[in-house]
Amino acid sequence: MSRGSGGGYDRHITIFSPEGRLFQVEYAFKAVKAAGITSIGVRGKDSVCVVTQKKVPDKLLDESSVSHLFPVTKYLGLLATGMTADSRSLVTQARNEAAEFRFQYGYEMPADILAKWIADKSQVYTQHAYMRPLGVGKFCTHFPTYLHIYTSTFAMVLGMDEERGPLLYKCDPAGHFYGHKATSAGMKEQEAINFLEKKMKENPAFTYDETVQTAISALQSVLQEDFKATEIEVGVVRADNPIFRCLETEEIEEHLTAISERD
Amino acid sequence: MGDSQYSFSLTTFSPSGKLVQIEHALTAVGSGQTSLGIKASNGVVIATEKKLPSILVDEASVQKIQHLTPNIGVVYSGMGPDFRVLVRKSRKQAEQYNRLYKEPIPVTQLVRETATVMQEFTQSGGVRPFGVSLLVAGYDDKGPQLYQVDPSGSYFSWKASAMGKNVSNAKTFLEKRYTEDMELDDAIHTAILTLKEGFEGEISSKNIEIGKIGADKVFRVLTPAEIDDYLAEVEESAAATRRTGKIGNEEEESKMMTGGRNYTRLSIDSQKVSGSVCTPRWFFSRERGVKISPSHHLLICFHKR
């Protein structure tokens, strides 16, 4: 039977390597980058905006079905960057969890509680190694297919909190989650964070328009291309309209124009 | 606990009789951010570095020091997500005890139960050990207590302890400065000084966290404003020491007992010094038979006769 004692098995399931690392978790991070999408989130004074690329690989695809932005409740949005299949599964579970929370406690699930729930779920899979039995009937063998880390996705959760204002949280496959003033995930994550650090250094209090335009221009700068409105997805929550909303193409167009006129 | 589909433990004995997964878990702890705890005569203080991956992270959203009960707090070094799991389990156990016995759980009991959980994950099927060491600080009928729990599930009571990246320097520093009759405020100062020792960059209320519990039996995490006050006090006493050090006459020297530091005066007649080529440190060691370790600070003053 397979014993993981650092004899190569620390790369296959989530046990410690001799340096105290979890290789499977690190590989999950790489898998997110392989998806080829970059996302940005920015928190302003009274709004939060997330932006992601919308890559439709085939002209025959129905573009409306290609989306990484998901409403979890009316007031909470989730931007999933990484493996699409994992994202869909996570969103379904998150929607269920948020609805149960509302039923159990009588008030809307806050963004940070949802982020914590997602992160805790990811942590379980970094600690428990699962083996899936394959083949019932004729063969009846336990085929050791080691389940990969459950969520090879970064989840950005956004929402308006009654007491604390706009909230933006990011959860990663390792189970970490933090609140952010601005953040990024995906292929060009580090470049985007460098760009955003410069913008947010003086702790500016962005208005709604500034928030959206900072997010979009960050993405443009990092990917070094000017987008058409159909190539990006934008999701927002605002104090004067706390419902999570994906912007229409015309609205995105307006912001893009504003950015190019500004420059 | 472990998944029953995985019916064998992942933590198994090596030929030399070691449980290597636990050793690797300790390595993971050792590469985590430094944290420490000090038990004073009238309370306990725990503190940790709070280095965040980017300035974009909202530091108010991150709290590394957590309550387990109103009178027990905990800090960790190692993997944050694993810590959250342990906090959740410990809180539940504390509450179950309270419901059963109608009294708050004693610190030793809670530590024992948490340690049991950690041990189970080193022996159950299909799971890996926790990659965290915990420092549990509490005040109950037995007085102030500080416990350290390791990934193996073993725990000890400490007067002062440190974990994480800078552990050996921090522990040496604490060994020198710890006194049995230390008060809580002194302990907080010492904790800050210890963190400062190995700190990369500038220490501020935004990149450390401090929790304390006193005779009032209420565990509290200090606000950034309170941490700033303590930092200012520490800075002031350090500056005072530097000032008196520069003057170097005998009266000023004997005033240098500030900040909980102890100074030993070694005087040497200069005529003995001639003809030898050595460092002052080695010279004093040899001449006076005093063991001076590398972490001792030496203040050399010359008196003109």
Side-chain angles (χ1 to χ4, degrees):
Chain A
M1 260 289 196
S2 40
R3 302 283 167 182
S5 55
Y9 259 94
D10 46 0
R11 295 186 181 267
H12 294 273
I13 49 174
T14 53
I15 59 174
F16 285 113
S17 75
E19 305 87 44
R21 291 157 64 182
L22 293 172
F23 282 116
Q24 274 294 298
V25 176
E26 299 184 10
Y27 297 162
F29 276 74
K30 294 218 168 92
V32 172
K33 294 211 189 284
I37 305 261
T38 307
S39 317
I40 310 252
V42 178
R43 186 184 79 186
K45 192 175 57 182
D46 51 17
S47 58
V48 191
C49 171
V50 292
V51 174
T52 185
Q53 287 175 273
K54 187 166 175 159
K55 276 195 182 166
V56 184
D58 194 329
K59 283 213 195 76
L60 294 171
L61 267 175
D62 181 354
E63 331 73 60
S64 60
S65 72
V66 177
S67 174
H68 292 88
L69 266 180
F70 305 94
V72 171
T73 68
K74 219 161 84 169
Y75 306 99
L76 278 184
L78 194 151
L79 171 60
T81 313
M83 297 179 76
T84 333
D86 288 356
S87 314
R88 296 257 168 86
S89 170
L90 173 68
V91 166
T92 312
Q93 299 217 356
R95 283 172 173 164
N96 189 49
E97 185 63 27
E100 278 192 21
F101 185 101
R102 171 67 183 81
F103 173 72
Q104 257 193 316
Y105 300 106
Y107 71 100
E108 292 292 333
M109 192 174 201
D112 56 332
I113 309 288
L114 180 63
K116 189 171 190 191
W117 179 83
I118 294 172
D120 285 345
K121 248 194 135 40
S122 305
Q123 190 280 339
V124 170
Y125 285 89
T126 72
Q127 196 168 20
H128 296 248
Y130 281 89
M131 196 159 76
R132 200 164 30 201
L134 200 73
V136 205
K138 270 201 212 151
F139 294 109
C140 237
T141 44
H142 276 227
F143 218 125
T145 48
Y146 300 105
L147 205 67
H148 66 209
I149 298 286
Y150 169 67
T151 31
S152 294
T153 43
F154 279 79
M156 278 194 225
V157 183
L158 60 155
M160 287 296 301
D161 188 83
E162 286 172 346
E163 291 161 5
R164 287 172 294 164
L167 293 178
L168 172 66
Y169 279 81
K170 186 174 81 173
C171 321
D172 65 22
H176 291 109
F177 79 104
Y178 297 113
H180 287 267
K181 303 165 193 165
T183 189
S184 163
M187 206 165 68
K188 298 270 178 186
E189 176 180 338
Q190 195 48 53
E191 291 94 331
I193 289 188
N194 295 341
F195 180 93
L196 290 166
E197 278 183 0
K198 290 199 209 96
K199 286 264 170 173
M200 307 291 282
K201 205 151 89 164
E202 313 298 324
N203 278 324
F206 286 140
T207 63
Y208 167 69
D209 286 324
E210 285 172 331
T211 310
V212 178
Q213 282 161 29
T214 306
I216 298 179
S217 57
L219 197 60
Q220 288 190 145
S221 153
V222 154
L223 296 170
Q224 288 174 342
E225 57 180 272
D226 284 328
F227 293 117
K228 294 205 280 285
T230 48
E231 290 172 347
I232 55 174
E233 290 185 271
V234 184
V236 298
V237 283
R238 324 167 49 160
D240 43 2
N241 186 11
I243 294 178
F244 172 75
R245 213 165 59 81
C246 297
L247 295 188
E248 305 285 333
T249 322
E250 299 83 44
E251 294 173 287
I252 302 180
E253 196 60 65
E254 277 173 27
H255 285 289
L256 284 167
T257 320
I259 292 172
S260 55
E261 276 174 9
R262 202 182 55 197
D263 302 331
Chain B
M1 298 224 308
D3 191 272
S4 54
Q5 288 177 326
Y6 228 96
S7 60
F8 54 89
S9 174
L10 300 176
T11 309
T12 52
F13 286 106
S14 73
S16 55
K18 290 200 281 190
L19 290 167
V20 277
Q21 273 298 297
I22 297 180
E23 314 241 329
H24 298 338
L26 283 163
T27 314
V29 170
S31 48
Q33 292 181 15
T34 312
S35 61
L36 56 98
I38 303 177
K39 184 170 72 175
S41 57
N42 60 340
V44 193
V45 60
I46 48 179
T48 180
E49 283 182 1
K50 190 164 85 169
K51 289 263 180 65
L52 296 168
S54 158
I55 57 163
L56 295 173
V57 173
D58 187 355
E59 71 278 343
S61 77
V62 179
Q63 201 176 316
K64 289 179 73 174
I65 300 185
Q66 292 285 336
H67 287 74
L68 295 180
T69 71
N71 65 325
I72 304 176
V74 65
V75 75
Y76 74 101
S77 278
M79 300 164 73
D82 287 8
F83 175 65
R84 287 203 310 271
V85 172
L86 285 170
V87 165
R88 176 175 272 140
K89 287 189 198 274
S90 302
R91 283 173 174 166
K92 190 163 185 184
Q93 280 161 338
E95 202 44 50
Q96 283 170 343
Y97 182 102
N98 194 6
R99 191 181 57 175
L100 183 54
Y101 296 107
K102 290 284 182 270
E103 66 162 40
I105 188 170
V107 182
T108 42
Q109 296 294 321
L110 186 55
V111 167
R112 215 165 51 85
E113 299 201 10
T114 309
T116 307
V117 169
M118 291 172 84
Q119 190 282 334
E120 278 166 2
F121 275 72
T122 67
Q123 208 173 6
S124 304
V127 291
R128 62 161 171 83
F130 284 96
V132 285
S133 277
L134 305 175
L135 272 174
V136 182
Y139 202 122
D140 61 15
D141 298 329
K142 296 213 178 71
Q145 288 161 79
L146 177 68
Y147 284 90
Q148 181 174 333
V149 195
D150 284 332
S152 58
S154 63
Y155 62 93
F156 294 100
S157 175
W158 289 80
K159 300 172 190 171
S161 183
M163 341 181 279
K165 252 186 248 177
N166 206 29
V167 63
S168 49
N169 283 342
K171 278 199 170 168
T172 318
F173 195 87
L174 284 171
E175 270 171 35
K176 277 194 295 136
R177 274 171 171 54
Y178 183 80
T179 58
E180 295 278 345
D181 52 2
M182 205 179 233
E183 296 220 335
L184 190 52
D185 270 350
D186 291 333
I188 298 180
H189 284 150
T190 309
I192 292 177
L193 284 169
T194 317
L195 275 180
K196 232 177 151 181
E197 275 288 296
F199 207 86
E200 286 166 19
E202 184 152 342
I203 198 171
S204 81
S205 57
K206 287 199 173 164
N207 50 25
I208 60 170
E209 232 176 75
I210 302 181
K212 69 168 188 181
I213 180 165
D216 56 355
K217 292 193 192 170
V218 175
F219 183 82
R220 220 164 51 76
V221 178
L222 299 184
T223 64
E226 289 172 311
I227 298 182
D228 275 325
D229 288 339
Y230 279 109
L231 282 170
E233 283 173 25
V234 165
E235 199 40 61
E236 218 182 272
S237 61
T241 323
R242 279 198 295 274
R243 272 200 303 277
T244 53
K246 275 203 197 118
I247 299 171
N249 69 55
E250 293 199 17
E251 274 174 46
E252 297 290 336
E253 273 180 58
S254 56
K255 278 195 218 154
M256 284 189 291
M257 293 299 183
T258 51
R261 293 181 204 217
N262 296 315
Y263 284 86
T264 312
R265 282 188 56 199
L266 305 168
S267 313
I268 281 268
D269 197 311
S270 62
Q271 288 170 342
K272 276 194 186 169
V273 181
S274 64
S276 52
V277 178
C278 59
T279 64
R281 190 182 293 275
W282 182 86
F283 182 78
F284 276 100
S285 287
R286 196 192 60 141
E287 277 296 308
R288 285 305 191 145
V290 169
K291 193 89 191 292
I292 301 187
S293 82
S295 49
H296 270 96
H297 299 282
L298 281 185
L299 212 70
I300 317 274
C301 310
F302 292 94
H303 302 280
K304 200 170 177 188
R305 290 204 186 267

